[in-house]
Every structure is written in structure tokens, then in C-alpha cells.
Amino acid sequence: MIEVGFILFLFYSNLLMGEFERSGLAQKKDLLWALSDIFTLSNFAIGTVAAVIGYIVVEFLRAKF
């Protein structure tokens, strides 16, 4: 669970940083808008699936090597 949570943390951190880049709308809006834009059900589903896949791959490689 810790590994999956860490992968989710990295996913959401990456999304938040993307909101504050030059092309992101968060520069014109504020932090609360950016947080509400990235914490959606679809982003959570994508992040969770990616985190579980990443965990499975890392555990497979850990067992193999």
C-alpha cells in the first residue's frame, strides 16, 4: 500500500506542476482552482490503475533480480 500511495503522490504532484507551467491555467487562477481541477474521479482512477501496474512491475522485477 505504501508503494501504491507513493506512486499516486508522484502522479498528483506531476499533475499539479503541470497546472503551473507556462501553458497552465493555474497561473491565471489560484491554487484552489488547480487542486479542484486535478482531484477528479477520472484522474483518481487513472492514477490508481497506473500505481497498481507500477507496483506489480516493480515487484516482478524485485523477485526476478
Side-chain angles (χ1 to χ4, degrees):
M1 286 305 290
I2 292 173
E3 289 93 354
V4 172
F6 186 68
I7 294 170
L8 274 172
F9 169 74
L10 293 175
F11 174 73
Y12 278 111
S13 297
N14 190 28
L15 286 177
L16 187 60
M17 286 188 301
E19 290 288 342
F20 283 98
E21 287 184 3
R22 274 187 251 160
S23 62
L25 286 175
Q27 286 187 347
K28 296 177 182 141
K29 300 189 182 204
D30 59 355
L31 179 63
L32 290 177
W33 177 86
L35 290 173
S36 68
D37 191 45
I38 65 170
F39 284 107
T40 62
L41 186 58
S42 60
N43 281 345
F44 182 73
I46 292 167
T48 303
V49 169
V52 169
I53 291 171
Y55 174 74
I56 291 170
V57 168
V58 166
E59 287 300 316
F60 172 76
L61 292 174
R62 216 180 261 166
K64 190 167 186 144
F65 297 106

